[in-house]
Amino acid sequence: MREIGQKATAEQIAEWKEKYRDIYEITVDGRVCYLRKPTRRELSYASMAGKSDPMKFNEVILAQCWLDGDDEIKTDDALFLGVSAQVAQIVEVKEAELKKL
């Protein structure tokens, strides 16, 4: 059984990076979770769910991108809200340039 706040091993992180490329560690109140970058399909689903309930966006991203961590983050409102503040940062948007020709 995993200990509260126990970090993933370097080997586990390397394995995730090989499989998913971008991995994120979020720590809140001594708890830790690991998320991967969401896919376009997951972002679309989360955006649709978030239209009627803004918190649903974070719930969907957290559930879909969760790799490992303290499950209490998913169920404790205070921990969830702490992680939610960071979720938007894993949704990286590249800046594009538009040029009229």
Side-chain angles (χ1 to χ4, degrees):
M1 177 141 205
R2 116 189 269 297
E3 298 284 324
I4 291 177
Q6 181 179 356
K7 303 248 182 181
T9 65
E11 294 81 18
Q12 181 64 65
I13 292 170
E15 185 179 311
W16 289 331
K17 281 186 168 190
E18 187 173 319
K19 186 171 183 178
Y20 302 111
R21 200 166 139 210
D22 296 322
I23 305 301
Y24 303 91
E25 176 186 277
I26 303 176
T27 306
V28 58
D29 199 28
R31 289 3 179 245
V32 65
C33 69
Y34 296 91
L35 306 176
R36 62 172 172 75
K37 188 174 185 172
T39 65
R40 186 182 333 186
R41 177 173 272 165
E42 290 163 340
L43 285 172
S44 176
Y45 176 69
S47 294
M48 291 300 292
K51 282 186 179 185
S52 61
D53 178 1
M55 292 307 288
K56 276 286 188 200
F57 178 87
N58 293 331
E59 287 178 16
V60 169
I61 294 298
L62 191 65
Q64 295 297 311
C65 299
W66 185 273
L67 296 173
D68 196 11
D70 296 306
D71 286 329
E72 193 177 358
I73 289 172
K74 297 181 208 176
T75 58
D76 181 281
D77 289 344
L79 297 174
F80 172 78
L81 290 172
V83 168
S84 290
Q86 302 301 317
V87 166
Q89 293 185 39
I90 72 170
V91 180
E92 179 186 3
V93 178
K94 301 267 185 200
E95 191 163 328
E97 183 180 318
L98 172 67
K99 186 185 298 186
K100 184 176 179 180
L101 305 175

